[in-house]
Amino acid sequence: MKSGLLNDFMRAFQKNRQATFAAAILLGIIFFAIFAPVFATHNPTYIRLAQEQIQLPPTALHLLGTDNLGRDIWSRMLFGARISLLVGFLTMLITIIFGVAYGAVSGYYGGKLDFMMMRFVDISLSLPTIFLVIILASFFKPDFFGIAVIIGLTSWMRTARLVRGQFLSLKEEEFVTAARALGYSDCRIIFVHILPNVRALIIVNATLLVAQAVLLESALSFLGFGVQPPQFSWGSMLSASQQIIFLEEAPWTAFFPGLAIFITVLCLNFFGEGLRDAWDPKLKNIAS
Amino acid sequence: MSSLLEVRNLKKYFFLGKGAGKEQNGVVRAVDGISFTVKKCETLGLVGESGCGKSSAGRVILRLLTATAGEILYEGQNIEQLSHRELLPYRRKMQIIFQDQSGSLNPHLTIGNALGEPLRVHRLIYRKEELKAKVEHLLELVGLSPDQMCRYPHELSGGQRQRVALARALALNPQLIVCDEPVSALDVSIQAQIINLLKELQQKCGLTYIFIAHDLRVVKHISDRIAVMYLGKIVELSSKESLYARAKHPYTQALLASIPRLTPSVRRQPLIFSGEPPNPLNPPAGCHFHTRCPYAFARCAWEEPLLQAVDFDHSAACHLLDR
Amino acid sequence: MVNTLPDILLELKNLRTKFKTFDGEVRAADGIDLTVHKKEVLGILGESGCGKSVTALSIMRLIPSPPGEVHADKMELNGVELQSLTEKQMSKVRGNEISMIFQESFSALNPTFTIGEQLIDVLMLHQRLDRGAAFHKAIEALSLVQIPAAAKRLSDYPHQLSGGMRQRVMLAMACACTPSLLLADEPTTALDVTIQAQILELLRWLQSEKKIAIMLITHDLALMAEIAQRVAVLYAGVVVENASVQNLFTKPLHPYTQGLLASLPLLEAECERLKVIPGGVPNMLSLPDGCRFHPRCPHCWQICRQEEPPLFPQNGSEVRCWLFAREMK
Amino acid sequence: MANRFLRRFATLLLSLLVISLLSFTLIELSPGGAMARYVENPKMSEADRARIAERFGLDKPAPVRYFIWLRNTLQGDLGISFMTGRPVLTEILERLPATLKLMTVSFFISIIVAIPIGIYSATHRHSLADNLASACSFLGLSLPSFWFGLLLIYLFSIWLGWLPAGGMITPWFDPAAYPLLIRPFVIFWEHTRYLLMPAIVLSLSNISSWSRYMRSSLLDVISQNYIRTARANGVPERKVVYKYALRNALTPLVTLMGLDLPVFFAGAVVTEQIFAWPGMGRLFISAAGNRDYQVLMGITMITAVLVLLGNLLADLLYSILNPRVTYEG
């Protein structure tokens, strides 16, 4: 990013107050996740099964109350944030790396190769991601890293398609033809000439991917196929509330982790939207 | 003057649709067996209406598109068959500039980088200062000031961008430049600047141009010889003077008659054809032009006319010439 | 002056059209005065960004707002002030009394409706015809613009037609109700020369036979010579010269007009170098002080840098240049 | 056209084959493979496992088993469930209607809500309602559906006690107990009160994304040149939006709906789990919990068939809406 473009971008981004606000909240959440041990009031995995310890409503001692096993919800939320965010970020990385590479090759070379590669994407896209993820998760019983890999490997298709579309149209641009006339190698054209023009789109897509990954991971953990104890994420904290009885007796056990997911995803979406508007209003329809 | 480039029976077909059974979806014969030579330091104009294949021809010659058939001889060497690696030295000798000056420069590269890159990639210059000096020299050559170096393409005007594109083409010291409608997207007052610049550079650097355009005024001004294309074929090939004074092919005559004149008092009676250019997917048999030609006779509908010499350095493809 | 003639069709006084953009306010039209007489062809000549299309869209009241804003001291069509009409009244004027055709014939027709549907819609709207009558009128309209086998073409979609045909269809839609004024925005620019000649012929015919006044907007000088009776030359949002076509081509007054004419390669004569107007079209965000043309002008003197010239009358023409103020004194 | 759909159908079959191969391989590659359910069971001896493997034909090499599975599937036999010992197809067909009921209702709710919101937002850009709609759609896209479901259950079932927390119908519900006159209403309400919350939860993300898409798509179309032409020809604004623009704006939405189908199914899985809706998704979850691979394979295949048929339908609709579809696909 060169200074001229960066300035334009920052100017546009700062005009968007929602996005700036969202970015600030996100930074706050990340800060709390990193320094979880500092802010935690209890051991997040310590179980107290005495009747007067479980399902306590929020008090000064237990800021957000305790869950059905007597664990402190506030402390669990802090540590759960680490897993939730980490999975989101890792998934995004995997998706972007794989999706961009796949899309770039398919779009740049075109022809029969592109046809075959895109058929495969179409086929993969016609299966609900959650099916594959659940099948894999139920057989492999992965840790959080495994979850990230599984989600990443089942959600790169849209990114690939997006990047491919951009490559397909950009390679027809005359600056690419000029680059070929100047005898540049394919590798150079892809990375130096085309990729920077897709960069904005990829970054926006990456932000939205983190949001989607956080949502998917929490849904998976909620259903019991995500991270397994003793590891836990925001999603798995809600898991017990599937039983109506727990929801009835202690709604706060479900309320706070869900709220955390909601706010994080919301901020990520606003942030991504802000990036998109700041970079190029023309991208509006295609980056999701 | 010796010939620099010779094109023999060059063809470029586009197959529509994808997957199996391509042919049934149709073939566009964008370039359908054209032959010509370009001499050193001359300008060959390539004119025709949109879709006549002039742009494709330009790109096939530079091997930016793969030819369906034919030979491209550059200084006697057939470059059609060369591999990617073998082609590299020829890439330096032949360059292209485009119509759309905003699309022909990478929006993410500064002018300095865009001009320096070819030199670095071809390992012509390694040292930083030397590179900078060379880029400055290139900018001056096309009439831009060296402080434009750190600018991005979107910060320049259309005319300036076209100058940069030209400078980039010149970076590798080419002999041949294909100019694909280089001025048609520019404002009238800027067009003249670029045309003058092209002429100046031709003399200064000993360049050879293939000048693709649809504007017959501009082509007349800049070219030495002109090839007129219609639906993938050359219908007339001639020196400029001869073509504008004594056009032989009815299509050329029509083109010339269609140019609006600059004299309002003379209301010309233009030679207007009722028809439109035929669908390139399904061109008429025989002479492609016979459906619009006012002089067409029976033979035109079934026999394709061949390019034949009518004068010194003037040939045309029309059956009328036999009558 | 010309304004006093009785057959004034459109009178435009001090048109100012502004656009609010991210980088500031762009005054695309900055005080444009125009008069169109009945049955004449007025050419509007100018380079990209000089405000010629904006002027036409402002008259049609088709400038999107925001970001656009249109003000004029006077914008009268047949004595009716267009700015005072409600949106509903205005949509009756459009297509009926003024209509407009555009350069991009491909994107200017709706791709999901047949041209018949689009044409019949316009006819039913303005002429209160029933479907059957509108259908026959549509065929008539298409034959009017010399489309062969008009009845068959009605069921075609725009993408099935060639560029020239689409431009004819647009003309048919615009002229179906025989408006008194047709705004033609670069109608032939995207077309091939041979087709261009056909469309020009058609426009000429519409003007002479159907008595439709045409305001032809173009950057192509030669086109003006072909068809226009009077020409207004626009530069950076203002009219710099207003002249009959004869005067414009034989004795151009404004240095800009002179420069434009000189920079065209001639078919009739040979020359090694073309004459050139130095520099480029000014950025509309930061216009030069004084005369807008002065940085490129070979005759620039002190006052040109400081004060913007008004339009000076000169031999039946009008010209916005201080050179002619001297001659007046 | 017919040719095009024949081709599409062939691709559909090919896709199904690839999907089956893919999911089979996935399960095969995972630890324990098809026998995963029994591998971790300490009470079982090696001999027990071997016997089970033999009974289900799991002792044969994987490729052979795939072909056996394929042959059986083509004959309509999806195998036997490990959990219940009943044929997988029977299990699925028992559950499928519930899922389809939920999804259909939710689909129509989404369309009925999303499209008008999108149209209103686009035609009243930056109005209060538009901003509100856009904010709501953002919230909707970010809301975890399971959490939203739990909130609804807490609010309407536990706190207010208005709606049942889960299930599809009261087991002892007997319409015959009500007078004939009000019976249809009673039946309708009985179904509605169970359906309401799950359908709303499932519709949420669709409404959010479709209304936003509709808005931007319509805005996109309205800025096109052909809309300007329609206005220039005097077509009134209402007609411009509802006749000329809407059809073009709906076309990409149809494609989006087709593409969203897998997401829709995924949403159904979660929703069914929250509201104890006795559908295919719930079966899938319990099968996954028990690693009942025959059922998992079966449901995956059935879903794939439904999704692909849905895409085919979207494609058909698309080509009806858009006359420019040619043979590319």
Side-chain angles (χ1 to χ4, degrees), chain A residues 149-164:
Chain A
V149 173
I150 289 176
I151 300 180
L153 289 185
T154 48
S155 55
W156 53 271
M157 290 85 77
R158 272 171 197 258
T159 306
R161 206 184 235 184
L162 193 72
V163 172
R164 176 239 181 202

PDB file of all heavy atoms in Angstrom, chain A residues 149-164:
ATOM      1  N   VAL A 149      -8.987 -26.228  10.635  1.00  0.00           N
ATOM      2  CA  VAL A 149      -8.613 -26.847   9.368  1.00  0.00           C
ATOM      3  C   VAL A 149      -9.867 -27.367   8.663  1.00  0.00           C
ATOM      4  O   VAL A 149     -10.069 -27.142   7.462  1.00  0.00           O
ATOM      5  CB  VAL A 149      -7.611 -28.002   9.604  1.00  0.00           C
ATOM      6  CG1 VAL A 149      -7.364 -28.763   8.303  1.00  0.00           C
ATOM      7  CG2 VAL A 149      -6.306 -27.451  10.152  1.00  0.00           C
ATOM      8  N   ILE A 150     -10.718 -28.038   9.440  1.00  0.00           N
ATOM      9  CA  ILE A 150     -11.915 -28.614   8.824  1.00  0.00           C
ATOM     10  C   ILE A 150     -12.805 -27.523   8.228  1.00  0.00           C
ATOM     11  O   ILE A 150     -13.233 -27.611   7.074  1.00  0.00           O
ATOM     12  CB  ILE A 150     -12.707 -29.432   9.868  1.00  0.00           C
ATOM     13  CG1 ILE A 150     -11.934 -30.707  10.214  1.00  0.00           C
ATOM     14  CG2 ILE A 150     -14.075 -29.795   9.331  1.00  0.00           C
ATOM     15  CD1 ILE A 150     -12.587 -31.517  11.313  1.00  0.00           C
ATOM     16  N   ILE A 151     -13.060 -26.468   9.002  1.00  0.00           N
ATOM     17  CA  ILE A 151     -13.921 -25.403   8.474  1.00  0.00           C
ATOM     18  C   ILE A 151     -13.247 -24.736   7.276  1.00  0.00           C
ATOM     19  O   ILE A 151     -13.875 -24.462   6.258  1.00  0.00           O
ATOM     20  CB  ILE A 151     -14.253 -24.348   9.557  1.00  0.00           C
ATOM     21  CG1 ILE A 151     -14.970 -25.012  10.733  1.00  0.00           C
ATOM     22  CG2 ILE A 151     -15.129 -23.251   8.980  1.00  0.00           C
ATOM     23  CD1 ILE A 151     -15.346 -24.058  11.838  1.00  0.00           C
ATOM     24  N   GLY A 152     -11.942 -24.512   7.413  1.00  0.00           N
ATOM     25  CA  GLY A 152     -11.215 -23.877   6.315  1.00  0.00           C
ATOM     26  C   GLY A 152     -11.292 -24.685   5.034  1.00  0.00           C
ATOM     27  O   GLY A 152     -11.559 -24.157   3.961  1.00  0.00           O
ATOM     28  N   LEU A 153     -11.110 -25.997   5.168  1.00  0.00           N
ATOM     29  CA  LEU A 153     -11.086 -26.843   3.977  1.00  0.00           C
ATOM     30  C   LEU A 153     -12.464 -27.036   3.372  1.00  0.00           C
ATOM     31  O   LEU A 153     -12.587 -27.551   2.261  1.00  0.00           O
ATOM     32  CB  LEU A 153     -10.474 -28.205   4.304  1.00  0.00           C
ATOM     33  CG  LEU A 153      -8.973 -28.175   4.561  1.00  0.00           C
ATOM     34  CD1 LEU A 153      -8.437 -29.580   4.766  1.00  0.00           C
ATOM     35  CD2 LEU A 153      -8.235 -27.504   3.418  1.00  0.00           C
ATOM     36  N   THR A 154     -13.500 -26.655   4.110  1.00  0.00           N
ATOM     37  CA  THR A 154     -14.830 -26.815   3.520  1.00  0.00           C
ATOM     38  C   THR A 154     -15.457 -25.473   3.142  1.00  0.00           C
ATOM     39  O   THR A 154     -16.600 -25.431   2.728  1.00  0.00           O
ATOM     40  CB  THR A 154     -15.775 -27.531   4.498  1.00  0.00           C
ATOM     41  OG1 THR A 154     -15.664 -26.903   5.770  1.00  0.00           O
ATOM     42  CG2 THR A 154     -15.452 -28.988   4.608  1.00  0.00           C
ATOM     43  N   SER A 155     -14.708 -24.373   3.291  1.00  0.00           N
ATOM     44  CA  SER A 155     -15.354 -23.094   2.959  1.00  0.00           C
ATOM     45  C   SER A 155     -14.509 -22.205   2.051  1.00  0.00           C
ATOM     46  O   SER A 155     -14.768 -21.022   1.956  1.00  0.00           O
ATOM     47  CB  SER A 155     -15.720 -22.342   4.240  1.00  0.00           C
ATOM     48  OG  SER A 155     -14.589 -22.190   5.053  1.00  0.00           O
ATOM     49  N   TRP A 156     -13.549 -22.785   1.354  1.00  0.00           N
ATOM     50  CA  TRP A 156     -12.708 -21.967   0.470  1.00  0.00           C
ATOM     51  C   TRP A 156     -13.367 -21.714  -0.878  1.00  0.00           C
ATOM     52  O   TRP A 156     -12.927 -20.888  -1.657  1.00  0.00           O
ATOM     53  CB  TRP A 156     -11.370 -22.659   0.234  1.00  0.00           C
ATOM     54  CG  TRP A 156     -11.526 -24.065  -0.252  1.00  0.00           C
ATOM     55  CD1 TRP A 156     -11.630 -25.177   0.517  1.00  0.00           C
ATOM     56  CD2 TRP A 156     -11.662 -24.492  -1.604  1.00  0.00           C
ATOM     57  NE1 TRP A 156     -11.811 -26.282  -0.267  1.00  0.00           N
ATOM     58  CE2 TRP A 156     -11.835 -25.884  -1.579  1.00  0.00           C
ATOM     59  CE3 TRP A 156     -11.643 -23.836  -2.835  1.00  0.00           C
ATOM     60  CZ2 TRP A 156     -12.011 -26.647  -2.742  1.00  0.00           C
ATOM     61  CZ3 TRP A 156     -11.814 -24.585  -3.980  1.00  0.00           C
ATOM     62  CH2 TRP A 156     -11.997 -25.984  -3.930  1.00  0.00           C
ATOM     63  N   MET A 157     -14.442 -22.454  -1.167  1.00  0.00           N
ATOM     64  CA  MET A 157     -14.959 -22.440  -2.535  1.00  0.00           C
ATOM     65  C   MET A 157     -15.455 -21.070  -2.983  1.00  0.00           C
ATOM     66  O   MET A 157     -15.226 -20.647  -4.105  1.00  0.00           O
ATOM     67  CB  MET A 157     -16.082 -23.465  -2.688  1.00  0.00           C
ATOM     68  CG  MET A 157     -15.632 -24.897  -2.626  1.00  0.00           C
ATOM     69  SD  MET A 157     -15.528 -25.504  -0.924  1.00  0.00           S
ATOM     70  CE  MET A 157     -17.230 -25.793  -0.508  1.00  0.00           C
ATOM     71  N   ARG A 158     -16.147 -20.381  -2.066  1.00  0.00           N
ATOM     72  CA  ARG A 158     -16.689 -19.083  -2.473  1.00  0.00           C
ATOM     73  C   ARG A 158     -15.579 -18.082  -2.739  1.00  0.00           C
ATOM     74  O   ARG A 158     -15.649 -17.288  -3.681  1.00  0.00           O
ATOM     75  CB  ARG A 158     -17.654 -18.559  -1.403  1.00  0.00           C
ATOM     76  CG  ARG A 158     -19.041 -19.071  -1.647  1.00  0.00           C
ATOM     77  CD  ARG A 158     -19.976 -18.752  -0.512  1.00  0.00           C
ATOM     78  NE  ARG A 158     -21.146 -19.595  -0.613  1.00  0.00           N
ATOM     79  CZ  ARG A 158     -22.317 -19.188  -1.091  1.00  0.00           C
ATOM     80  NH1 ARG A 158     -22.475 -17.962  -1.482  1.00  0.00           N
ATOM     81  NH2 ARG A 158     -23.335 -20.022  -1.171  1.00  0.00           N
ATOM     82  N   THR A 159     -14.553 -18.132  -1.878  1.00  0.00           N
ATOM     83  CA  THR A 159     -13.408 -17.246  -2.096  1.00  0.00           C
ATOM     84  C   THR A 159     -12.753 -17.559  -3.437  1.00  0.00           C
ATOM     85  O   THR A 159     -12.424 -16.655  -4.212  1.00  0.00           O
ATOM     86  CB  THR A 159     -12.380 -17.423  -0.969  1.00  0.00           C
ATOM     87  OG1 THR A 159     -13.046 -17.228   0.278  1.00  0.00           O
ATOM     88  CG2 THR A 159     -11.248 -16.447  -1.090  1.00  0.00           C
ATOM     89  N   ALA A 160     -12.597 -18.848  -3.703  1.00  0.00           N
ATOM     90  CA  ALA A 160     -11.979 -19.242  -4.966  1.00  0.00           C
ATOM     91  C   ALA A 160     -12.771 -18.692  -6.138  1.00  0.00           C
ATOM     92  O   ALA A 160     -12.215 -18.146  -7.083  1.00  0.00           O
ATOM     93  CB  ALA A 160     -11.889 -20.761  -5.050  1.00  0.00           C
ATOM     94  N   ARG A 161     -14.075 -18.805  -6.045  1.00  0.00           N
ATOM     95  CA  ARG A 161     -14.918 -18.361  -7.131  1.00  0.00           C
ATOM     96  C   ARG A 161     -14.807 -16.849  -7.331  1.00  0.00           C
ATOM     97  O   ARG A 161     -14.731 -16.341  -8.443  1.00  0.00           O
ATOM     98  CB  ARG A 161     -16.352 -18.730  -6.794  1.00  0.00           C
ATOM     99  CG  ARG A 161     -17.188 -18.890  -8.007  1.00  0.00           C
ATOM    100  CD  ARG A 161     -18.574 -19.147  -7.589  1.00  0.00           C
ATOM    101  NE  ARG A 161     -19.044 -20.371  -8.194  1.00  0.00           N
ATOM    102  CZ  ARG A 161     -20.279 -20.783  -8.048  1.00  0.00           C
ATOM    103  NH1 ARG A 161     -21.108 -20.149  -7.276  1.00  0.00           N
ATOM    104  NH2 ARG A 161     -20.668 -21.877  -8.663  1.00  0.00           N
ATOM    105  N   LEU A 162     -14.804 -16.158  -6.199  1.00  0.00           N
ATOM    106  CA  LEU A 162     -14.695 -14.702  -6.215  1.00  0.00           C
ATOM    107  C   LEU A 162     -13.400 -14.257  -6.885  1.00  0.00           C
ATOM    108  O   LEU A 162     -13.386 -13.426  -7.796  1.00  0.00           O
ATOM    109  CB  LEU A 162     -14.717 -14.234  -4.764  1.00  0.00           C
ATOM    110  CG  LEU A 162     -14.920 -12.786  -4.457  1.00  0.00           C
ATOM    111  CD1 LEU A 162     -16.352 -12.434  -4.759  1.00  0.00           C
ATOM    112  CD2 LEU A 162     -14.635 -12.540  -2.994  1.00  0.00           C
ATOM    113  N   VAL A 163     -12.301 -14.858  -6.434  1.00  0.00           N
ATOM    114  CA  VAL A 163     -10.993 -14.487  -6.969  1.00  0.00           C
ATOM    115  C   VAL A 163     -10.905 -14.856  -8.438  1.00  0.00           C
ATOM    116  O   VAL A 163     -10.402 -14.093  -9.258  1.00  0.00           O
ATOM    117  CB  VAL A 163      -9.876 -15.178  -6.165  1.00  0.00           C
ATOM    118  CG1 VAL A 163      -8.538 -14.971  -6.828  1.00  0.00           C
ATOM    119  CG2 VAL A 163      -9.857 -14.644  -4.750  1.00  0.00           C
ATOM    120  N   ARG A 164     -11.439 -16.000  -8.768  1.00  0.00           N
ATOM    121  CA  ARG A 164     -11.391 -16.455 -10.147  1.00  0.00           C
ATOM    122  C   ARG A 164     -12.118 -15.456 -11.056  1.00  0.00           C
ATOM    123  O   ARG A 164     -11.635 -15.103 -12.127  1.00  0.00           O
ATOM    124  CB  ARG A 164     -12.036 -17.836 -10.247  1.00  0.00           C
ATOM    125  CG  ARG A 164     -12.129 -18.373 -11.634  1.00  0.00           C
ATOM    126  CD  ARG A 164     -13.559 -18.631 -11.971  1.00  0.00           C
ATOM    127  NE  ARG A 164     -13.719 -19.178 -13.293  1.00  0.00           N
ATOM    128  CZ  ARG A 164     -14.873 -19.087 -13.947  1.00  0.00           C
ATOM    129  NH1 ARG A 164     -15.905 -18.534 -13.377  1.00  0.00           N
ATOM    130  NH2 ARG A 164     -14.981 -19.578 -15.161  1.00  0.00           N
TER     131      ARG A 164
END
